[in-house]
Amino acid sequence: MPTVHARPYDFPFDPAHTAVVMIDMQRDFLEPGGFGAMLGNDVSLLRPIVPACVRLLALARAKGMAVIHTQEAHDAQLADCPPSKRARGALSCGIGDPGPLGRVLVAGEPGAGFVPELLPQPGDVVLRKPGKGAFHATSLDAILHAQGITHLLIGGVTTEVCVQSTMREANDRGYECLLVTDCAASYFPQFHAAVVEMMVAQGGIVGWAAPLAEIERAFA
Ligand code: C5J
């Protein structure tokens, strides 16, 4: 069985029961003119992880692991967007408003789409989610159960928001989770680093963490 030399200790996993969960690698978070930029962030800080994410997805497909892409987006009527979420930040151009990448964070609009390097491929699961955690108001738990998935390799953006929320939700549901550290990023590098420490502290209270090279090495 492949075993990742991870923090806080080794992480063995069976690829047949493991999914790579790629969180919200959408234009709305990575490109100028999207939701992340509307919030005042320097979106260029997220792009450096794209090549590693491409490698992680290629490895997953080559080794028979399930691939799940999550997508934070709302329906056109914003019926699944709590008013509190829409109001947050008091943005002049916020969720549902027309922006340079189409209506902000709305499914089917250009901004809600994935960055071109990470487009879903046949066989991948695409999971739209209205919240930050990927288990909230979605069928993710049922999808994972149906496929016999017990272990998750998690990447995406942003580390301290949707990635962290999802990893905590997954941990509480009994999944063994490893955060792929160089496949996740934040607009705040110090938050990324802090989340990694939080996850692995106290004997891996939320899970494990390792860079992609250690996952590749586990298969070597
Ligand atoms: C945020 C996310 N940051 N995908 N979403 O609003 O982390």
Side-chain angles (χ1 to χ4, degrees):
M1 186 172 305
T3 297
V4 182
H5 295 309
R7 295 179 63 207
Y9 52 89
D10 283 357
F11 180 86
F13 67 103
D14 177 352
H17 297 284
T18 300
V20 168
V21 181
M22 192 56 71
I23 305 282
D24 302 355
M25 291 298 286
Q26 298 163 238
R27 299 180 63 197
D28 257 328
F29 295 108
L30 282 96
E31 292 188 11
F35 183 57
M38 300 294 181
L39 291 168
N41 296 301
D42 175 0
V43 295
S44 71
L45 290 167
L46 305 189
R47 270 216 72 83
I49 67 167
V50 170
C53 292
V54 169
R55 269 168 50 211
L56 176 60
L57 294 185
L59 183 70
R61 294 178 184 119
K63 301 298 180 186
M65 292 185 269
V67 173
I68 297 172
H69 306 260
T70 72
Q71 179 189 45
E72 183 179 345
H74 297 281
D75 65 44
Q77 291 75 32
L78 303 184
D80 57 357
C81 182
S84 61
K85 181 176 180 182
R86 193 165 185 221
R88 195 68 55 80
L91 300 173
S92 55
C93 179
I95 297 172
D97 296 329
L101 299 181
R103 292 182 67 204
V104 176
L105 228 53
V106 169
E109 299 287 334
F114 298 100
V115 297
E117 297 92 333
L118 296 169
L119 292 179
Q121 294 188 8
D124 294 357
V125 171
V126 177
L127 183 89
R128 178 149 75 85
K129 63 183 180 65
K132 304 305 181 189
F135 288 84
H136 168 68
T138 73
S139 51
L140 181 55
D141 202 32
I143 291 168
L144 296 174
H145 271 288
Q147 300 192 22
I149 303 294
T150 54
H151 288 57
L152 306 179
L153 307 178
I154 302 177
V157 296
T158 61
T159 313
E160 79 282 11
V161 185
C162 293
V163 173
Q164 174 169 218
S165 292
T166 299
M167 188 156 159
R168 289 180 181 277
E169 289 178 328
N171 183 54
D172 282 344
R173 286 166 174 77
Y175 296 98
E176 308 281 22
C177 302
L178 182 143
L179 174 61
V180 188
T181 52
D182 48 353
C183 290
S186 170
Y187 304 118
F188 305 89
Q190 69 274 28
F191 290 174
H192 173 90
V195 167
V196 173
E197 296 308 314
M198 282 179 222
M199 297 299 181
V200 305
Q202 304 179 76
I205 199 155
V206 183
W208 286 258
L212 175 60
E214 291 298 343
I215 298 165
E216 293 171 331
R217 194 167 300 141
F219 284 105

